Amino acid sequence: MTDASEYQRLRSHLAFLAMTAAAEALPGELDHAAAAKLTHSAFLERLLAVEVDAVDERRRASLTRFASLPSPFTLADFDFSAQPSVDEKLIADLATLRFVEDATNVLLIGPPGVGKTMLAVGLGHAAVAAGMRVYYTTAADLAARCHRAALEGRWATTMRFFANPRLLIVDEVGYLPLPAEAAAALFQVVSQRYLKGSIALTTNLGIASWGKVFNDDPMVAGAMLDRLLHRSVVLNIEGDSYRMRSHRARAEATRRAVAGS
Ligand code: ADP
Ligand code: MG
């Protein structure tokens, strides 16, 4: 067999295995191997590494798209000095993602603007970077989606969809009271993930006022809280809105500048 036909067969093996990146890199890697007198195993390792990197990159891009995280901010962007009620060590521990391994939930509770969404999304980015399937939704979107699913006879499929990600982020629970149907949907999502998959949930309501989200149904609220809290990390974030803070700081600086001039 000639070198040329051997090369063609190698190309077609790579094409058959859908190893496009390796196929593309093949001529260059062959030249390099010859020039650098690489061993067979060193050559093969380099060629496969090209394919592994490409597949890994694709997988990560697809996980990122799927996760639908609403902002690019990571935990590294969080300014802990601006938010002393957030324990930096606790966040660093969460960032190891051990909580996802044992299906622990993370509850971020606090008034608007204190960084609840930013932290939840930051955990989401960390999980995606670790190759985990993550999905972000707001409570309102989850409710709307489940409502459509009920109308269109896709309830079971939709419930499976919300059961599937390793980490489900449910943002903004409690901003709007949930109609009974939506409360039932959220309850089912929480129940079926119980002890199986983590939920990171943000809310402006203290746990004591959770009955309000599930208007008039303290039973559902209680049962859901039991499941959410059984294995959980609760972060009570206090303090000023970060937006208001920087707004105030700017206003203050302007005021001082004007007063000084
Ligand atoms: P919440 O979800 O609690 O209402 P967000 O996470 O949406 O608050 O934060 C409001 C805005 O302030 C966002 O733009 C966020 O990136 C920013 N922010 C809040 N806290 C911090 C912080 N400690 N460091 C940096 N940016 C912050
Ligand atoms: Mg928010």
Side-chain angles (χ1 to χ4, degrees), residues 153-237:
R154 291 183 291 99
W155 184 266
T157 321
T158 304
M159 285 301 126
R160 272 201 301 281
F161 176 85
F162 285 115
N164 175 260
R166 296 285 302 283
L167 173 63
L168 177 69
I169 301 173
V170 184
D171 203 6
E172 299 180 353
V173 176
Y175 283 91
L176 301 168
L178 295 175
E181 184 203 49
L186 185 56
F187 179 70
Q188 192 171 335
V189 168
V190 168
S191 296
Q192 62 184 6
R193 294 184 63 84
Y194 179 54
L195 303 181
K196 296 202 194 86
S198 295
I199 298 177
L201 184 149
T202 81
T203 176
N204 58 320
L205 291 178
I207 286 172
S209 6
W210 266 53
K212 280 193 211 133
V213 191
F214 308 97
N215 0 224
D216 329 321
D217 207 340
M219 292 287 280
V220 177
M224 184 145 106
L225 272 175
D226 274 350
R227 285 167 178 75
L228 271 177
L229 293 175
H230 174 215
R231 207 180 270 167
S232 64
V233 173
V234 177
L235 282 99
N236 270 297
I237 311 179

Side-chain angles (χ1 to χ4, degrees), residues 17-41:
L17 295 169
M19 297 171 72
T20 33
E24 244 167 66
L26 183 63
E29 288 299 328
L30 282 169
D31 288 347
H32 173 79
K37 297 193 169 46
L38 293 189
T39 61
H40 295 135
S41 53

Side-chain angles (χ1 to χ4, degrees), residues 73 77-79 83 111-118 175 242-243:
F73 295 123
D77 297 312
F78 195 79
D79 176 2
Q83 200 54 267
V114 293
K116 301 182 299 297
T117 298
M118 188 179 182
Y175 283 91
Y242 190 83
R243 280 196 209 96

